[in-house]
Amino acid sequence: MKEIRFHNSLSGNKEVFRPEFPDRVRVYSCGPTVYNFAHLGNLRAFLFVDLLRRALIAFGYKPDMTMNITDIDDKIIRESLAQGKGIREFTEPWVKAFQDDLESLNIQKLEHYPRATDSIPSMVEIIKHLQNQGLVYEKDGSLYYSISKFKNYGKLSKIDVSGMKTGTRYDTDEYEKDDVRDFVLWKFPKQDGEPAWETEIGSGRPGWHLECSAMVRDVYGSGVDIHTGGVDLTFPHHENEIAQSEGAYPEESFVKYWLHSEHLLVNGEKMAKSKGNFFTLRDLVKEGAEPRNIRFLLLSAHYRSKLNFTKERLEEASQSVSKIQNCINRLLEELSKSGKIFQAQENVAPGTWDEFLESLADDLNISKFLASVFELVKDSNQYLDQNSPNENEIWKRLELFYKIDSILGILNFERKVEVLDSEIDELVRQRQEARKNKNFAESDRLRDKLNELGIIIEDTKEGLRWKRK
């Protein structure tokens, strides 16, 4: 297997990836809290997990991956009580929405999607182990983790705990970065109707941080090779996961490689509903955007770099996808002249594929990977323009594009029937009419469709014209 290097947040360095079991690479990723639709920042994190999975498979590993579903926390309790619904009744539609988003973005299914509420027994077991290690204290019926008694606290986030006041507690599931306090493990019900479980450690519900430690243990029995999540989860969430898991089971290794994806900005700012720059996948699709173009844009920057989402960049992504697809369409059309229909041979690996793998081996360097993709597009178009295409060469290039799409997940390899000129004339007329009526969503949809068909629209002195690429 080719050597892969990942930037490990724990060490702060790129390290050679050496999983314990190459035929079962254990990966745990923090998933959604299901109380609303996932926003673009969430989707970028989910797509990073998809890129990681596809890359591991390309390198010959067999991933065994988990993404948790947080279906109990402060926000869920607040919203479910307000609507007079039970936890499962309230969260079920949001779980379905999450699954629909993954499918729309062509995100591969993972092996496991555990729900927090199904892991209550494991959470209780972890707390009992922590109690035996002297790391837990009780206050007003709730149980807290005493971080001053865990000597390695702060090793992931590099946070300074020297000024911490012992016994200063946080009762909420989320709190501000750099504010170091003991965190709640088990919360005593504070209001009527609040969900609670009757257990041997008392009545209550788990704190948010405890949930992931328990689900990792439920799925894998101990620790994992890779743990991923957004950079904002490094502290306190992931730091607290380490404290819980390694505090309860000091003889076991919890996580070997921590991989964190950077923030998504929208128009240069942090996403917020109050700023009017808060988007879900459904918002963009309703405006006429294609999911595959959204996928391309959210994948196009290195996972450890901030990505600034704008409508202009989405338009550029649309053009980039069309550029790759149009090249493939030309290759498919040329192949069809010999009466052949392209069917990928999964076992065929052109030598040039190694160049693409080298990019991915360097901490999933998608920018370098895409640069090679567009070099291939340019070279393939030149080959089609200047030569009498050879069937074997056409097939070889299509195989390479097919392997590229095993990473990108955006391309189509079925030859499209040529659209009649009269049909294109009608599409152009409809687009002009939409622009005239300021129906920009419809205009953009028709523009994307024309792009997919390989049509270039030109505004000349004689009026609007179109031509095939």
Side-chain angles (χ1 to χ4, degrees), residues 108-318:
Q108 293 184 352
K109 286 186 178 180
L110 306 186
E111 285 68 29
H112 314 281
Y113 292 98
R115 300 191 189 200
T117 53
D118 291 333
S119 293
I120 299 297
S122 294
M123 298 177 202
V124 171
E125 194 64 26
I126 289 174
I127 291 175
K128 288 165 60 181
H129 278 268
L130 291 172
Q131 287 174 325
N132 292 338
Q133 297 291 333
L135 296 170
V136 181
Y137 63 90
E138 184 266 338
K139 184 72 175 177
D140 299 327
S142 294
L143 300 177
Y144 296 86
Y145 190 108
S146 180
I147 63 176
S148 64
K149 295 182 180 179
F150 182 68
K151 64 179 181 179
N152 289 324
Y153 195 85
K155 69 176 182 178
L156 176 66
S157 59
K158 314 299 186 292
I159 197 162
D160 181 14
V161 298
S162 60
M164 183 201 69
K165 292 182 179 181
T166 302
T168 305
R169 295 175 301 281
Y170 255 116
D171 209 30
T172 56
D173 287 332
E174 298 177 54
Y175 47 92
E176 294 300 315
K177 184 175 174 61
D178 298 335
D179 198 346
V180 185
R181 306 189 190 186
D182 294 344
F183 59 91
V184 67
L185 293 165
W186 191 255
K187 302 176 73 169
F188 185 76
K190 297 294 193 297
Q191 56 181 314
D192 292 338
E194 183 175 326
W197 282 261
E198 297 296 331
T199 73
E200 56 190 294
I201 59 172
S203 176
R205 70 165 181 89
W208 173 49
H209 307 296
L210 181 62
E211 297 174 7
C212 282
S213 289
M215 285 183 277
V216 168
R217 196 157 191 86
D218 267 352
V219 175
Y220 299 108
S222 58
V224 295
D225 298 296
I226 300 173
H227 195 315
T228 81
V231 67
D232 55 312
L233 296 179
T234 308
F235 181 86
H237 185 51
H238 291 161
E239 195 70 67
N240 291 350
E241 276 189 62
I242 292 173
Q244 292 160 164
S245 298
E246 296 185 0
Y249 304 96
E251 71 284 357
E252 296 178 4
S253 172
F254 180 46
V255 175
K256 192 172 183 181
Y257 304 91
W258 287 91
L259 275 56
H260 289 99
S261 56
E262 256 292 357
H263 291 294
L264 176 86
L265 303 177
V266 177
N267 298 321
E269 297 183 299
K270 186 176 180 181
M271 194 163 35
K273 290 182 178 179
S274 60
K275 295 178 180 178
N277 67 350
F278 186 95
F279 295 107
T280 68
L281 178 62
R282 286 161 176 75
D283 294 331
L284 296 175
V285 170
K286 194 177 293 184
E287 293 178 7
E290 283 195 55
R292 71 171 183 168
N293 297 334
I294 299 169
R295 176 185 171 90
F296 181 87
L297 175 55
L298 295 181
L299 279 176
S300 62
H302 190 274
Y303 76 92
R304 289 197 305 112
S305 300
K306 286 186 174 68
L307 172 62
N308 184 29
F309 179 92
T310 66
K311 295 295 180 63
E312 290 75 20
R313 291 197 68 177
L314 183 55
E315 167 62 20
E316 292 170 4
S318 172

Side-chain angles (χ1 to χ4, degrees), residues 374-392:
F374 286 108
E375 278 298 316
L376 177 62
V377 169
K378 179 181 177 182
D379 182 73
S380 295
N381 281 326
Q382 289 177 344
Y383 174 78
L384 291 168
D385 289 340
Q386 300 171 7
N387 297 284
S388 298
N390 174 274
E391 180 184 322
N392 289 334

Side-chain angles (χ1 to χ4, degrees), residues 38 67 106 136 248 270 307 318 334 346 437 449:
M67 180 174 285
N106 196 24
V136 181
K270 186 176 180 181
L307 172 62
S318 172
E334 195 61 43
E346 295 281 0
N437 296 330
K449 186 169 184 178

Side-chain angles (χ1 to χ4, degrees), residues 36-38 91-102 282:
N36 210 326
F37 294 117
T91 58
E92 197 62 39
W94 299 120
V95 173
K96 179 64 166 56
F98 161 67
Q99 295 168 337
D100 289 345
D101 284 351
L102 298 188
R282 286 161 176 75

Side-chain angles (χ1 to χ4, degrees), residues 73-74 76-82 187-196 205:
D73 84 333
D74 290 342
I76 290 172
I77 289 173
R78 182 177 64 246
E79 294 297 323
S80 63
L81 288 176
K187 302 176 73 169
F188 185 76
K190 297 294 193 297
Q191 56 181 314
D192 292 338
E194 183 175 326
R205 70 165 181 89

